[in-house]
Amino acid sequence: PEDIPQMAIWFYSYRGDIVLDPFAGSFTSAIVANKLGRIGLGMELRKDLFENAIKDNLKKKEQDFEEFGA
């Protein structure tokens, strides 16, 4: 659900801030941050488990993304 990250991002950051989610999972926090005018940055160590879910979620929410790392 987007409600919890939306409330936290809205109250504890400003437009243009970088919002880091070190346990990104499906990247919901990064997506919500982007919708609120922040820069959403998510990290996920288990690319093998989450890559397809992350990319599907980003495409479904019509979010552009850039992939970094090995």
Side-chain angles (χ1 to χ4, degrees), residues 44-48 51 67-70:
E44 184 53 61
L45 292 176
R46 296 297 309 266
K47 183 176 181 177
D48 58 322
E51 182 175 16
E67 192 172 350
F68 298 97

Side-chain angles (χ1 to χ4, degrees), residues 15-64:
R15 292 182 69 76
D17 281 356
I18 296 173
V19 175
L20 172 64
D21 184 358
F23 310 104
S26 62
F27 273 61
T28 300
S29 296
I31 291 169
V32 170
N34 190 36
K35 288 180 180 178
L36 294 174
R38 281 69 167 171
I39 300 166
L41 178 63
M43 294 185 287
E44 184 53 61
L45 292 176
R46 296 297 309 266
K47 183 176 181 177
D48 58 322
L49 293 177
F50 293 100
E51 182 175 16
N52 292 332
I54 290 167
K55 288 180 179 178
D56 289 345
N57 195 22
L58 291 168
K59 289 176 186 172
K60 182 173 70 175
K61 303 283 181 157
E62 299 178 355
Q63 300 291 309
D64 292 328

